[in-house]
Each structure stands twice: as C-alpha cells, then as structure tokens.
C-alpha cells in the first residue's frame, strides 16, 4: 500500500521536505525565464534538455529516497540509490557539456565566469555524492551530505530567480544565502531538538559556499583568455 507523505515522520520527513523545496526552486527559477523573456526554450539544443531532464530526475529521486526509508522500503531505497549514482555521473557530465556548449553557441557573455560558476558547482556536488556513497552505512552523514548535494544541484535555478545582472556580486551572495537557508534551518532545528548540530551540515555548508571562493579565478587574465577561446569569433 502506498503511504502518503504525512505518514512518514522524523528525519525521513525532514529530508523529503528539503528535497521538495528544491523542486519548487527549480520550477520557480526556470519557469520565470519565459515570463522575463530571457530564454527561448524552443531554440535551445537537445543537450540542454537532456541535462535538464537528468537534473529533474535527481530532484525527484531526492524526494523519493527519504520517503522510501520512512516507509521502510530499504531494499528499494538501495536499488534507487545506485541508480542515483549513475544519474549523478550523468548530471556532472552533461553539465560540463552544456556549459561549454552554451559558450560555443554564443549564449554566454562572460565565458570565464560561466565556466567557474558552473564547473565550480559541479565539483562540490560530485564530491558530496562520492562521500555520501562511501559513508552510506552511516545514515546520519549520508542523508545530510546528499541533501546538500541536491541544494548545489539546483544552483542554476537560483541563478535565474535572483536578478544577477542587476545586482552583480550582491546577487551572488543572495543566491548563496537562499541555498544555505534549508541547511541553516535544519541546523537550528537540530540544535533545539537534539542539543547539537551534526558535523555534516558544516561540511555541506562549506561545499555550498565553495564556488564563491572560485570566482576570482574568472578574473585571472590567462584563464579569461583561455575561456574566451571557446566563444565564437566576433566578425569585424
């Protein structure tokens, strides 16, 4: 018998809720693009749709996995967990592919910044997933690391919710604040209910913030010149 979300409790419900909020972020972020007139989805290449589909699959799985634990369907949880590992590999691979493809297609005005922020997000995402797999028998670590990985995975949606062009560096800080909100809330909740904050939240927060420290790389002349080489040549 299929159980509803309300039928699960404790940590599984918390992590399912965190994942569900990230799905809402994705819907809000990419749903606003046509309204703002910033993106013509029909003109995008198939690789972008492939990457988006894989990203959505990850988010759906992130909601489903805690629910499976909460309903004591552990074997199914393990099976989908390994499927999730392959989805993560595909998400990183297509993320790199679409990053350089968007630059080559002339859809990015700042190639260096695009590479640093996109790849800078994929790296901590991949590291958290790998670490979560290694500590999968320690469910307390496993759940928190994957929750933070999912938050990082939806960073492109946050980049569309926050008007980055108008706000500049402040927009980047607001984006990071939005991403850290569920981590902060969960940490405060743990502090109040359990008397301490799990160390995994600190690791996850550091991973979420790590792209900020990579941004200066985009302004290194040599790197900027290399990144610009992927952009289409401007005809005189």
């Amino acid at each position: 018998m299929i159980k509803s979300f309300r039928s699960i409790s404790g940590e599984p419900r918390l992590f399912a809720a965190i994942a569900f909020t990230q799905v809402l972020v994705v819907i809000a972020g990419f749903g606003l693009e046509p309204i703002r007139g910033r993106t013509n989805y029909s003109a995008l290449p198939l690789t972008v749709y492939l990457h988006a589909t894989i990203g959505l699959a990850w988010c759906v799985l992130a909601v489903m996995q805690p629910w499976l634990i909460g309903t004591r369907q552990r074997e199914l949880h393990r099976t989908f967990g390994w499927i999730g590992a392959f989805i993560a590999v595909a998400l990183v691979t297509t993320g790199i592919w679409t990053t350089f493809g968007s630059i080559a297609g002339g859809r990015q005005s700042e190639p260096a910044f695009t590479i640093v922020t996109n790849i800078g997000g994929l790296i901590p995402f991949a590291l958290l997933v790998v670490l979560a797999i290694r500590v999968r028998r320690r469910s307390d670590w496993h759940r928190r690391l994957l929750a933070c990985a999912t938050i990082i995975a939806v960073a492109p949606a946050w980049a569309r919710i926050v008007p980055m062009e108008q706000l500049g560096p402040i927009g980047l800080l607001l984006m990071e604040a939005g991403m850290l909100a569920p981590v902060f809330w969960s940490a405060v909740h743990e502090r109040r209910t359990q008397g301490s904050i799990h160390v995994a939240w600190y690791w996850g927060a550091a991973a979420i913030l790590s792209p900020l420290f990579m941004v200066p790389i985009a302004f290194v002349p040599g790197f900027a010149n290399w990144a610009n080489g992927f952009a289409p040549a401007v005809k005189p």
Side-chain angles (χ1 to χ4, degrees), residues 27-111:
I27 294 172
F30 289 98
L32 287 173
E33 289 291 274
I35 297 174
R36 291 177 176 177
R38 292 173 49 181
T39 302
N40 180 8
Y41 286 140
S42 62
L44 295 176
L46 290 177
T47 52
V48 175
Y49 286 99
L50 176 62
H51 178 64
T53 302
I54 294 170
L56 182 59
W58 174 270
C59 290
V60 171
L61 193 65
V63 175
M64 187 174 68
Q65 285 292 74
W67 178 79
L68 289 174
I69 288 295
T71 55
R72 294 180 173 80
Q73 301 182 66
R74 297 184 182 277
E75 287 301 321
L76 198 56
H77 173 85
R78 293 189 187 98
T79 300
F80 278 110
W82 288 114
I83 293 174
F86 286 102
I87 291 176
V89 171
L91 186 61
V92 172
T93 303
T94 56
I96 296 172
W97 189 4
T98 54
T99 294
F100 286 96
S102 66
I103 295 171
R107 298 192 300 277
Q108 301 296 334
S109 59
E110 300 180 17

Side-chain angles (χ1 to χ4, degrees), residues 1-234:
M1 181 179 178
I2 298 177
K3 296 183 179 181
S4 68
F5 175 78
R6 291 184 178 182
S7 67
I8 64 175
S9 59
E11 284 201 347
R13 182 168 184 168
L14 169 66
F15 290 105
I18 291 174
F20 184 71
T21 60
Q22 301 315 297
V23 174
L24 296 181
V25 169
V26 170
I27 294 172
F30 289 98
L32 287 173
E33 289 291 274
I35 297 174
R36 291 177 176 177
R38 292 173 49 181
T39 302
N40 180 8
Y41 286 140
S42 62
L44 295 176
L46 290 177
T47 52
V48 175
Y49 286 99
L50 176 62
H51 178 64
T53 302
I54 294 170
L56 182 59
W58 174 270
C59 290
V60 171
L61 193 65
V63 175
M64 187 174 68
Q65 285 292 74
W67 178 79
L68 289 174
I69 288 295
T71 55
R72 294 180 173 80
Q73 301 182 66
R74 297 184 182 277
E75 287 301 321
L76 198 56
H77 173 85
R78 293 189 187 98
T79 300
F80 278 110
W82 288 114
I83 293 174
F86 286 102
I87 291 176
V89 171
L91 186 61
V92 172
T93 303
T94 56
I96 296 172
W97 189 4
T98 54
T99 294
F100 286 96
S102 66
I103 295 171
R107 298 192 300 277
Q108 301 296 334
S109 59
E110 300 180 17
F113 185 77
T114 299
I115 292 173
V116 167
T117 53
N118 285 12
I119 308 303
L122 291 171
I123 291 172
F125 167 80
L127 290 175
L128 285 180
V129 171
V130 169
L131 185 57
I133 292 173
R134 288 183 63 87
V135 298
R136 61 188 180 276
R137 297 188 185 279
R138 299 178 60 181
S139 61
D140 54 334
W141 276 87
H142 182 74
R143 294 170 178 174
R144 287 162 177 80
L145 293 175
L146 286 178
C148 292
T150 301
I151 291 169
I152 294 174
V154 304
W158 273 110
R160 287 158 175 79
I161 292 175
V162 178
M164 305 291 286
E165 298 87 352
Q166 290 78 19
L167 298 177
I170 296 177
L172 190 59
L173 292 175
L174 288 175
M175 171 181 159
E176 291 288 341
M179 293 170 66
L180 282 173
V183 176
F184 178 78
W185 184 89
S186 300
V188 171
H189 176 73
E190 281 187 6
R191 180 73 177 180
R192 289 178 177 176
T193 58
Q194 302 176 26
S196 62
I197 299 172
H198 198 288
V199 178
W201 289 127
Y202 295 106
W203 286 59
I208 292 170
L209 289 171
S210 63
L212 279 178
F213 300 97
M214 302 180 193
V215 170
I217 299 174
F219 300 98
V220 175
F223 181 85
N225 292 334
W226 172 79
N228 289 333
F230 293 98
V234 179

